[in-house]
Amino acid sequence: MGRTNPTYRDALRAIEERWADFRRALRRRDQPRFDRLFEYAREHADASGLLNHQNSLAPALLSIDLEQEARLDDHENRLAELEQQIAEGEDTQPQPAAENTAGGSE
């Protein structure tokens, strides 16, 4: 026998369809960002389905937050690496040669 309740993935698809007019009204540059948010929600659909929340949007929003938090962590780690590389580069830069202060020529 089949399931009597729609799956979370079905519910998420329905949410995306309800927001389709909003997506169409977005500027073209923002539409891929909107799509990416739903990709984030689909990434956690298994966990969201286990939650069986009454409001399907709540786990979708938390899934989006989780993915954005992961992206922030990645950016912070990359920034720290770049800052370390810059600091190491400043430490290994050759120092300007000291000028001859003896007054004589060699």
Side-chain angles (χ1 to χ4, degrees), residues 29-63:
R29 70 172 186 253
D30 290 327
Q31 290 176 357
R33 294 176 182 135
F34 176 89
D35 296 338
R36 194 174 317 128
L37 296 178
F38 277 94
E39 288 173 24
Y40 293 164
R42 283 189 290 275
E43 287 287 320
H44 299 279
D46 293 339
S48 298
L50 291 174
L51 182 61
N52 198 24
H53 198 278
Q54 289 178 323
N55 180 358
S56 302
L57 188 57
L61 293 175
L62 187 59
S63 297

Side-chain angles (χ1 to χ4, degrees), residues 5 7 19 37 39 59 61 88:
N5 294 330
T7 66
W19 285 84
L37 296 178
E39 288 173 24
L61 293 175
E88 289 172 356

